[in-house]
């Protein structure tokens, strides 16, 4: 079904369901002898306990009836055929603001030349880290296309070692892994097309909601249909991907990967220091169904979707619940010496609301995610310092890689025209937001100091008018 058809199905039937629910509530109140007209409001003064209980019961029945109407109309006019709530998952392993960072300009096609001339192991390894952030993923997508075109121009796409994604970052990573980022045949490309056409009705469908009995509002079936239509061929064995999810029962971060994971005796990840880019032989080959499960477990946003479950009974929420910017897969695990990091929440200054409860809760979520992302950026600097200390002979660390990492990081800055829950804003501001990050990222890539000796960790913060300021996360 077309995006316009999904839009009409979603909102028209929701309006019908609300009217049906109100009619049901009115009928139940009258059957209970309660007048709900404006002239009969005096009955509320003399409410007895039985009447209060009856009103609560009537409200619950009306909500259930409205949910029944919405679901029935929605699915009868185009059943998606996605009713499985089980995941197919492989086994998982048990501030200071400153002016401008250093710049170094080189001719196009030669900006990454120093990385290619590194001696010994590891060779040139590029890592891409994509944060979660809901509809703010449109900003990330614009930056991602600029990075693809930059690496393509440098002849370095084959040097991308890995990509790690959390939540909406996992969705965007699929476009990279399947080669659907760049423009093609005169069009802007599949990534651009999806984000500029996406609406709330194309990512969320009605769910059977009843207070107390269920703790989620909708489903992701319509979104999963788009996954199957767009990603008909699974990604190849390289680059490696890491798609995170939060095991909420055990409170641990889990992930899916096409990597054959070496583990130590404690079941923890070891580094891949001695595995060159050409290492392929033992890479597992997940099915497309497993990859789909990994992506939607990573994007299991509460309370929109039901917690997904694997066959062992483990339940998962969005990967950003525990780690919204999974840097460690690029540093400690893969030893990448050039990172492209795309956070979505690290610039979280905002005006507070003292009126709306929802705005207050959303602000708490943004602050929490922002702090997680900023701490991850500081972890890059700590990682670099440990490597430098080893080179200086201060300390011998067996699991530290040979080279530190150079980090390109860019993030949209508030006020944002598309927020975390802003899928309804994409119609008005989706293209504008995508183009903003695309153009600014292109400019920043041209100015960035691409040198293996660049150990500083700066974040470029992009304002809604295209202005850029910088924040230094280097530990000094």
């Amino acid at each position: 079904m077309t995006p316009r058809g999904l839009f009409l199905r979603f909102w028209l039937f929701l309006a019908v369901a609300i009217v049906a629910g109100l009619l049901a509530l009115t009928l139940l109140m009258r059957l209970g002898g309660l007048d709900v007209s404006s002239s009969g409001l005096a009955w509320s003064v003399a409410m007895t306990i039985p009447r209060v209980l009856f009103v609560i019961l009537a409200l619950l029945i009306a909500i259930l009836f409205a949910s029944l109407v919405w679901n029935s109309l929605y699915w009868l006019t185009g059943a998606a055929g996605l009713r499985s709530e089980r995941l197919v998952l492989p086994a998982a392993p048990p501030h200071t603001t400153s002016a401008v960072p250093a710049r170094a300009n080189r001719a196009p096609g030669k900006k990454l030349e120093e990385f290619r001339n590194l001696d010994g192991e590891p060779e040139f390894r590029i890592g891409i880290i994509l944060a979660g952030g809901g509809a703010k993923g449109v900003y990330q997508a614009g930056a991602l296309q600029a990075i693809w075109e930059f690496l393509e121009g440098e002849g370095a796409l084959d040097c991308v070692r890995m990509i790690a994604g959390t939540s909406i970052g996992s969705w965007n990573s699929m476009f990279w892994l399947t080669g659907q980022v760049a423009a093609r045949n005169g069009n802007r490309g599949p990534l651009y097309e999806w984000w500029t056409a996406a609406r709330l009705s194309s990512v969320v469908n009605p769910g059977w909601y009843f207070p107390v009995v269920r703790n989620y509002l909708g489903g992701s079936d319509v979104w999963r249909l788009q996954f199957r239509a767009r990603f008909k061929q699974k990604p190849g064995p390289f680059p490696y991907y890491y798609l995170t999810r939060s095991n909420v029962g055990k409170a641990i971060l889990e992930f899916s990967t096409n990597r054959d994971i070496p583990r130590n005796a404690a079941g923890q990840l070891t580094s891949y220091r001695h595995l060159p880019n050409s290492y392929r032989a033992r890479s597992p080959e997940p099915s497309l169904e497993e990859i789909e499960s990994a992506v939607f477990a990573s994007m299991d946003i509460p309370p929109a979707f039901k917690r997904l479950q694997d066959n062992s009974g483990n339940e998962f929420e969005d990967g950003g619940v525990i780690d919204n910017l999974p840097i460690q897969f690029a540093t400690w695990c893969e030893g990448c010496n050039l990172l492209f990091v795309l956070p979505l929440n690290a610039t979280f200054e905002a005006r507070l609301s003292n009126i709306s409860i929802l705005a207050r809760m959303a602000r708490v979520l943004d602050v929490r995610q922002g702090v997680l992302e900023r701490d991850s950026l500081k972890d890059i600097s700590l990682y670099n310092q440990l490597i430098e200390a080893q080179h200086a002979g201060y300390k011998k660390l067996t699991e530290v890689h040979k080279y530190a990492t150079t980090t390109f990081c860019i993030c949209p800055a508030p006020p944002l025209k598309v927020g975390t829950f802003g899928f309804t804003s994409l119609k008005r501001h989706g293209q504008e937001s995508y183009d903003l990050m695309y153009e600014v990222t292109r400019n920043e890539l041209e100015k960035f100091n691409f040198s293996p000796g660049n150990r500083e960790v700066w974040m470029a913060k992009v304002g809604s008018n295209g202005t850029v300021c910088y924040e230094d996360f280097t530990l000094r």
Side-chain angles (χ1 to χ4, degrees), residues 201-386:
S201 54
S202 62
V203 298
V204 180
N205 53 259
W208 301 103
Y209 176 71
F210 189 69
V212 183
V213 177
R214 289 193 167 182
N215 60 358
Y216 59 94
L217 301 175
S220 60
D221 295 15
V222 67
W223 201 348
R224 293 177 70 176
L225 280 178
Q226 293 177 69
F227 180 98
R228 296 181 180 183
R230 190 167 293 277
F231 307 119
K232 295 180 180 180
Q233 293 184 341
K234 67 180 181 179
F238 198 74
Y240 303 124
Y241 62 76
Y242 296 87
L243 309 178
T244 70
R245 57 184 178 271
S246 299
N247 185 324
V248 288
K250 299 178 180 178
I252 59 174
L253 185 72
E254 295 188 8
F255 61 91
S256 293
T257 180
N258 56 344
R259 216 39 172 100
D260 191 15
I261 304 293
R263 299 183 180 86
N264 59 24
Q268 298 172 335
L269 286 176
T270 63
S271 71
Y272 306 134
R273 179 175 181 175
H274 304 295
L275 301 178
N277 275 344
S278 59
Y279 182 81
R280 301 282 193 281
R282 298 178 60 199
S283 294
E285 296 185 0
S287 67
L288 194 57
E289 187 179 8
E290 288 176 331
I291 297 172
E292 177 188 327
S293 293
V295 169
F296 284 92
S298 185
M299 298 195 300
D300 197 351
I301 307 168
F305 306 139
K306 181 181 180 180
R307 280 198 298 259
L308 297 181
Q309 206 177 63
D310 65 13
N311 291 328
S312 300
N314 295 304
E315 295 190 357
F316 302 99
E317 298 277 21
D318 190 281
V321 171
I322 293 178
D323 188 354
N324 206 51
L325 194 65
I327 295 288
Q328 71 272 20
F329 297 109
T331 52
W332 296 102
C333 292
E334 294 289 357
C336 295
N337 38 39
L338 176 59
L339 295 186
F340 293 92
V341 182
L342 302 181
L344 288 172
N345 308 277
T347 57
F348 56 85
E349 301 92 345
R351 180 177 296 177
L352 301 181
S353 170
N354 295 317
I355 301 175
S356 169
I357 292 177
L358 292 177
R360 181 180 178 184
M361 296 304 297
R363 177 59 184 160
V364 169
L365 176 63
D366 284 345
V367 169
R368 180 184 178 279
Q369 298 298 77
V371 169
L372 288 174
E373 292 185 7
R374 296 165 78 87
D375 285 346
S376 293
L377 294 174
K378 294 174 185 176
D379 285 345
I380 299 174
S381 183
L382 176 61
Y383 171 83
N384 286 342
Q385 289 188 2
L386 288 172

Side-chain angles (χ1 to χ4, degrees), residues 101-122:
R103 302 297 194 189
N105 292 320
R106 293 183 178 85
K110 295 185 177 180
K111 293 182 180 297
L112 306 180
E113 190 172 9
E114 290 184 49
F115 287 97
R116 297 183 182 280
N117 296 328
L118 292 173
D119 296 325
E121 289 287 343

